[in-house]
Amino acid sequence: VFHGRILAQRVVGRETRYEVEVKAPYRHRSPLVSREYLWVPNTCGCPPLREGGEYVLMARRHVNHEHTLNRILLQDGGYARPWTPREARLV
């Protein structure tokens, strides 16, 4: 779970890749860097993420069996909602 600002988006095949500035990590099992790519399937029922918007995002790190793919994935069961100052108390 982290607070991030959407910098850019690009449709790649059946997914959308968002470039995200990580503002504050809340809970994470793997370290996050200041900028990450967030992948979202185009079939996800998630709210649309707009460039410049800030969100609280609950995503998971996805690593394939060959360890050749390591990315942050926001799935249908994930969580994305607009960030509000109330979340700043969680840090």
Side-chain angles (χ1 to χ4, degrees), residues 10-39:
R10 179 176 178 209
V11 176
V12 180
R14 294 185 296 174
E15 297 178 302
T16 302
R17 182 187 76 185
Y18 293 95
E19 184 177 352
V20 180
E21 175 188 4
V22 177
K23 299 280 218 169
Y26 296 136
R27 296 180 83 184
H28 55 89
R29 293 182 184 179
S30 56
L32 296 171
V33 294
S34 62
R35 290 205 178 170
E36 292 277 2
Y37 285 122
L38 175 70
W39 293 85

Side-chain angles (χ1 to χ4, degrees), residues 1-7 19-28 32-36 52-57 72 83-84 87-88 90-91:
V1 178
F2 65 97
H3 167 204
R5 183 169 67 95
I6 306 298
L7 301 174
E19 184 177 352
V20 180
E21 175 188 4
V22 177
K23 299 280 218 169
Y26 296 136
R27 296 180 83 184
H28 55 89
L32 296 171
V33 294
S34 62
R35 290 205 178 170
E36 292 277 2
E54 294 188 22
Y55 299 89
V56 174
L57 301 160
I72 298 175
W83 181 87
T84 62
E87 278 86 13
L90 299 174
V91 177

Side-chain angles (χ1 to χ4, degrees), residues 46-47 49 55-58 74 78-82:
C46 310
L49 305 177
Y55 299 89
V56 174
L57 301 160
M58 183 176 74
L74 181 65
Y79 180 81
R81 74 171 221 195

